[in-house]
Amino acid sequence: MAGEAKQGIIDGRAISKQIEAELTEEIASMKADDGMVPGLATILVGQDPASQLYVRLKHKACDRVGIYAEDQKLDASITQKELLDRIKNLNTRADIHGILLQLPLPQHLDAKKAMQAIDPAKDVDGFHPYNVGNLMIGDEGFVPCTPAGIIRALEYYDVDIEGKDVVIVGHSNVVGKPMAAMLLNRNATVAVCHVYTKDLKSYTAGADILVVAAGVKHLIKEDMVKKGAVVFDAGITEEEGKIYGDVDFENVVNKASLITPVPGGVGPMTIATLLTHVTFAAKKIE
Amino acid sequence: MAGEAKQGIIDGRAISKQIEAELTEEIASMKADDGMVPGLATILVGQDPASQLYVRLKHKACDRVGIYAEDQKLDASITQKELLDRIKNLNTRADIHGILLQLPLPQHLDAKKAMQAIDPAKDVDGFHPYNVGNLMIGDEGFVPCTPAGIIRALEYYDVDIEGKDVVIVGHSNVVGKPMAAMLLNRNATVAVCHVYTKDLKSYTAGADILVVAAGVKHLIKEDMVKKGAVVFDAGITEEEGKIYGDVDFENVVNKASLITPVPGGVGPMTIATLLTHVTFAAKKIE
């Protein structure tokens, strides 16, 4: 489908619309055949505005494809035990196939313990150590949605991965590290850079595929990118109501063969991947 | 301790002797204080000579430091169920704190299922997905022994890791991938190369720290190594009774500031790390 690459810009919204269309059909037939409706429960603790926005976007997406979405809003003062009990209850519910704990949590709560309380079979975010470990040993089940969405986009545009020189900027558990594992599983040569890297440009300038998730506005300039590179920008910085990515899109777009804009690139693909995971979790029960 | 670097050769036997001396003392006092003796059970299926040798070396090491080691030899014709039952039995035994399933297994057995049957709290090899996942998210518990031994050696020689350019050759689940995770957890810039890498030298020649685990005799030549690099060779190739590493030691030794020989480098450190894990597993029970 490389031919479809509109002026080299990866249209995350178009890809996610296609995924959503497929899921809508699939979910409709699941409902018709077995009366099965995939169910997602989101847990939002406190009032963080960004978290509220992300949860709202996920619920809207569920509504579009026919996934039942339950919004569990918990007070910021909830105790660890109350949070764990809530998760354990969701683990036992037959109508809930996916559980999403929106991070960050208030300081007094142990996010890791909470994450580990989620049944790995309902861990649609792919953050449970059991799922992370399976990803790392090459047995991909539920994997983090952002890197999974990027792999989906590479497939959509028929970009070869095996043997390619890939550079990832950022080594978070949400994007950088799982992205590295997924690309190594596909036999790319993978370099992971981050804030401690001595000479970032010496890495990025050689990358056939560049994935940036540093959270630093316009960190990647045109001279840091190889001609013809495929560039994914998972960064989001908000300034005075405007959203910026980690890549200086206006200039890098001239050099890249494919590049994601911000917004409208990686974000929508991430949410579409979440919907795919919830549907998959429900199908496994069928 | 960089001063101790004998002509730049990392003496894996000396490091492991020091670790064993510390463990012998620790285990003696555990025994004196609580009558606690750390216990390791090894499971060897079939007659593979290399596997037999590795198991024998591990048992000898256990004997040296005072760890009770039980050698469970199973016939190559054992069924998957029999193997799993054996593992489950070891999971329940209070005198066994570590379980080591020697790989490879005969074709008809599912190594992954067997590995996952081991109680993660007794997974001293660090191969259970739960432990692998915790390693990847930066919460290192039981981690694979070869990369853990290499980290130990870097600490022994006071080699800084943070911000260093590290190249790993080989992306196996036993060495390459867990090594990458451990070095990323310590904020090194990490590139992972392998058989699909287009231009291996372009990576290795820039490495401050080079870890090679490809299993290809003398893959790494002098011109592929940066002056002053720290080089770990986890490769073992046997030819006519002689052991060769993945690094052309005779020539690379002149360029490296520190380098492990084969044999006598990474191997002994790996076994010493296993002993540390078994002792740690027993202490957690205390």
Side-chain angles (χ1 to χ4, degrees), chain B residues 19-40 61-69 97 272 274-283 286:
Chain B
I19 295 170
E20 287 188 11
E22 292 162 10
L23 287 175
T24 304
E25 210 169 295
E26 187 173 3
I27 291 166
S29 64
M30 285 168 72
K31 196 168 181 179
D33 301 347
D34 322 273
M36 160 71 79
V37 178
L40 171 70
C62 287
D63 296 342
R64 287 197 297 271
V65 298
I67 290 172
Y68 165 70
H97 308 97
L274 173 66
L275 302 176
T276 308
H277 286 179
V278 177
T279 309
F280 177 75
K283 285 173 71 76
E286 279 190 294

Side-chain angles (χ1 to χ4, degrees), chain B residues 209-222:
Chain B
I209 300 170
L210 178 61
V211 178
V212 191
V216 180
K217 174 188 171 185
H218 291 187
L219 172 67
I220 304 300
K221 314 288 186 196
E222 185 177 2

